[in-house]
Amino acid sequence: SQFMENFCWEWDVLKHMTAHVDTGEPLPRALFDKMTEAKNFQSGLQTLRQIEFSLFDMLLHTENEPDFMALQAQVRKEIALIQPPAYSRTAHTFSHIFAGGYAAGYYSYKWAEVLSADAYAAFEEARLTGDADGTKTGRKYCEAILESGGSRSAMDSFKAFRGREPTLDALLRHQGMA
């Protein structure tokens, strides 16, 4: 789903998907630009928050620290730019890792964003190399990722599509950090 969301943040796609209820005019470009800025607002802090949650989750399920609040405080001291108040009990509401089956796997949220952005970058690159409508790239994506399904590892499928391992570059660019 994250991969498909990328298309909705492309002006050339979105302008064909929107229409004013009275005039039928597409979303104004200026409004689209403001929406993109709002989407990327404080994305660095959001990334740090996910890293904090991921590290806390990983340590919680791999270390023998019985005091999870102390562990969370340790992680926050290392990662967070803005320290929450001492009475904050974020861990008590972190259902993903306590009730949602993500034990030591919360990092997969950020990893999925990396894979999604890097895979989508292939379509961005295709426009610059003669595959303007993305047909060839789409076909390669379908064959390498979708059709292979679970018959091989996700990394092998990604490398079959991109010809390399994933990088952070596209995610940082898509979130306005590069």
Side-chain angles (χ1 to χ4, degrees), residues 111-165:
W111 185 237
E113 288 180 43
V114 170
L115 296 175
S116 166
D118 198 354
Y120 185 73
F123 288 85
E124 295 171 318
E125 294 160 11
R127 285 187 218 122
L128 305 173
T129 59
D131 184 17
D133 67 356
T135 302
K136 292 177 190 171
T137 306
R139 190 172 296 118
K140 186 175 180 183
Y141 177 80
C142 185
E143 292 168 1
I145 306 281
L146 301 178
E147 290 177 8
S148 68
S151 66
R152 61 181 173 202
S153 75
M155 183 59 76
D156 286 344
S157 291
F158 185 90
K159 288 194 279 191
F161 176 58
R162 291 294 273 149
R164 59 169 174 72
E165 291 191 358

Side-chain angles (χ1 to χ4, degrees), residues 36-50 81-82 110 175-177:
T36 302
E37 289 174 12
K39 175 181 75 77
N40 292 337
F41 181 68
Q42 294 189 345
S43 58
L45 285 176
Q46 175 63 17
T47 296
L48 280 179
R49 180 177 181 266
Q50 282 189 289
L81 290 178
I82 301 171
K110 187 51 75 179
Q175 292 182 341
M177 293 190 282

